[in-house]
Amino acid sequence: MSEEQNGTAVPTPRDDSGDVIGVRKGMFGANNGGDTSGYGGLVRTVTLPGAASRPYGGWFDEVADELEGALEEQDLLPADVIEKTVVDRGEVTFFIAREHLVRVARTLRDDPALRFELCTGVSGVHYLGDKGRELHAVYHLRSLTHGRLIRLEVSAPDSDPHIPSLVGVYPANDWHERETYDFFGLIFDGHPALTRIMMPDDWQGFPQRKDYPLGGIAVEYKGAQIPAPDQRRSYS
């Protein structure tokens, strides 16, 4: 019997616990027109996974113990550094207070029991409903020594979008931080040259923020005028 037939290939569903940050209506959350999916009556909550409790399972506890112990050796209280630990879909994410990000990253890289030598980049996320924590930066760290993969997540408010740069710890993050700045407006303090990398230098706004306007720029194609999304026909 295949994995699909016996159900083992089906992802483990999330439980009902977590942080509800909003309610989404329609298939894609479109409002005031633009939703042509026919699912305009669909309503669902937007929930971020909640903090996990010990034991986390597998090697997650070992990494958490080693990280907390290393922080204590540096006279830091783990509870002040690690805001929460989330285990979801078989992956572990440590939510780090932004002022401690560089210290945590260097510890994860250099501690012999951790050895997360590789950061594969940083991705931005914008949660409009996560008040006071609207902008998130997500880092994927891989230990080549121990064959492990974890995530770090840091948040900042829209009103103060500053996060310390990790280029000094993981130099390959240079362009990734520039791209995240370009699209989300996250300012990585200490970056050697934080300039746009995809959009023109004089571009206004940050295109991947959820409050960035959709369309509205006149586009012509073979003589036809394409209306902005809020002016197109809607089935919801």
Side-chain angles (χ1 to χ4, degrees):
M1 182 181 293
S2 67
E3 288 185 344
E4 290 78 4
Q5 291 173 322
N6 64 25
T8 58
V10 178
T12 304
R14 289 178 174 154
D15 57 30
D16 295 330
S17 63
D19 304 319
V20 177
I21 62 171
V23 177
R24 180 170 295 176
K25 297 181 179 181
M27 178 64 78
F28 304 106
N31 297 311
N32 301 320
D35 182 0
T36 59
S37 67
Y39 288 88
L42 185 65
V43 179
R44 62 187 180 90
T45 59
V46 180
T47 306
L48 301 181
S53 57
R54 298 273 195 159
Y56 302 138
W59 52 264
F60 295 169
D61 291 279
E62 181 182 342
V63 170
D65 290 340
E66 293 290 349
L67 176 57
E68 291 175 5
L71 294 174
E72 290 172 346
E73 290 175 0
Q74 301 172 59
D75 296 324
L76 293 172
L77 290 176
D80 294 337
V81 177
I82 304 173
E83 296 175 342
K84 67 176 179 179
T85 301
V86 172
V87 177
D88 186 58
R89 307 299 175 96
E91 298 177 331
V92 62
T93 304
F94 297 99
F95 284 73
I96 306 299
R98 56 179 170 171
E99 63 269 22
H100 297 296
L101 176 62
V102 175
R103 180 75 66 88
V104 169
R106 185 172 288 113
T107 299
L108 287 167
R109 184 194 66 181
D110 295 343
D111 191 284
L114 296 168
R115 286 289 189 231
F116 286 90
E117 308 98 331
L118 176 64
C119 179
T120 58
V122 55
S123 300
V125 191
H126 191 207
Y127 295 110
L128 280 175
D130 197 8
K131 299 304 181 183
R133 302 163 41 91
E134 292 88 355
L135 291 166
H136 289 229
V138 184
Y139 303 83
H140 291 78
L141 305 184
R142 183 175 291 279
S143 170
L144 303 179
T145 299
H146 302 294
R148 295 168 174 173
L149 178 67
I150 65 172
R151 274 199 300 263
L152 300 183
E153 191 158 338
V154 183
S155 63
D158 275 340
S159 58
D160 182 26
H162 289 264
I163 289 177
S165 171
L166 288 188
V167 171
V169 182
Y170 297 108
N173 265 24
D174 187 342
W175 285 13
H176 291 278
E177 290 184 4
R178 286 180 60 193
E179 182 180 42
T180 304
Y181 160 72
D182 197 354
F183 286 151
F184 290 92
L186 273 166
I187 300 172
F188 293 92
D189 296 327
H191 189 283
L194 193 63
T195 57
R196 290 192 182 272
I197 192 172
M198 303 293 287
M199 308 301 292
D201 290 340
D202 59 352
W203 192 266
Q204 299 297 313
F206 306 101
Q208 288 192 351
R209 285 198 183 188
K210 291 295 191 299
D211 53 1
Y212 188 81
L214 295 175
I217 301 174
V219 178
E220 292 186 2
Y221 180 71
K222 292 186 178 179
Q225 187 76 18
I226 300 176
D230 59 354
Q231 298 171 0
R232 299 175 192 170
R233 183 171 57 180
S234 174
Y235 296 102
S236 58

